[in-house]
Amino acid sequence: MDFSKKTIFTEARSHKKFGGDNLSETDLRAIYELAKLAPTANNSCPLRVVFVNSAESMEQLARCALDFNQEKTRTAGSAAILAYDMDFHTHFATLAPHMKQPTVHSEWPIDRLERFALANANLQAGFMIAATRALGFDCGPMGGFDTAAVKSKFFGDTRWVFNCVVLLGHGDHSALRPRGPRLAFEDACRIT
Ligand SMILES: Cc1cc2nc3c(=O)[nH]c(=O)nc-3n(C[C@H](O)[C@H](O)[C@H](O)COP(=O)(O)O)c2cc1C
């Protein structure tokens, strides 16, 4: 395990081309075991993950990708489909037994519930990317998929909503363009 700044941040990139190897189930479980520790509001843990880990399932996933992501997806042997669960609040009795009104979220308007789920699932997604890198793998996060197709092929009878796909494996560094600039501290931050 390598939690160094280089591995998780400065030398890590969003990969678009992979070597095609898949991860072991042990590796996939190790990624989740770290990602699940992300902080979320009320410990709500709305992230849901479908790990795609066979050639057949990866081809099914590639067919759900928008044109510009299909070939990228076909280079990877594994992927994580990240979703948020609109029924996340049904787990509060376990996840947040300290909450006084564990059912209150079910009375929220749908857009408020969805914003809450997406915001917190995204925190978990960031942790999942960091965890994957720390465990020695590269990530290729991609949002460009036919969300209805992903749902019908991979989510079954759930209220999971597609968020993004993260390709997993060993990326081809030679296929990367130079990293895009980021906003300077002065442009993005204030100290008061
Ligand atoms: C939520 C999300 C969606 C993305 N969607 C796509 C996508 O559909 N296709 C693609 O090639 N890259 C996609 N990317 C990759 C971004 O372009 C990339 O993370 C960004 O340019 C930073 O690149 P870097 O990590 O190499 O610095 C996505 C990244 C994120 C986090």
Side-chain angles (χ1 to χ4, degrees), residues 12-14 16 68-69 72 133 141-144 164 179 182:
R13 295 291 311 278
S14 297
K16 319 270 179 186
F68 55 96
N69 284 330
K72 298 169 197 167
R133 291 169 171 175
M142 299 193 307
C164 65
R179 197 199 281 277
R182 300 300 205 258

Side-chain angles (χ1 to χ4, degrees), residues 146-177:
D146 175 339
T147 58
V150 173
K151 181 168 176 53
S152 81
K153 285 229 161 19
F154 294 98
F155 293 169
D157 186 19
T158 66
R159 292 186 71 216
W160 298 7
V161 180
F162 175 80
N163 185 358
C164 65
V165 164
V166 182
L167 301 179
L168 304 170
H170 295 290
D172 177 354
H173 288 257
S174 70
L176 288 170
R177 296 205 184 116

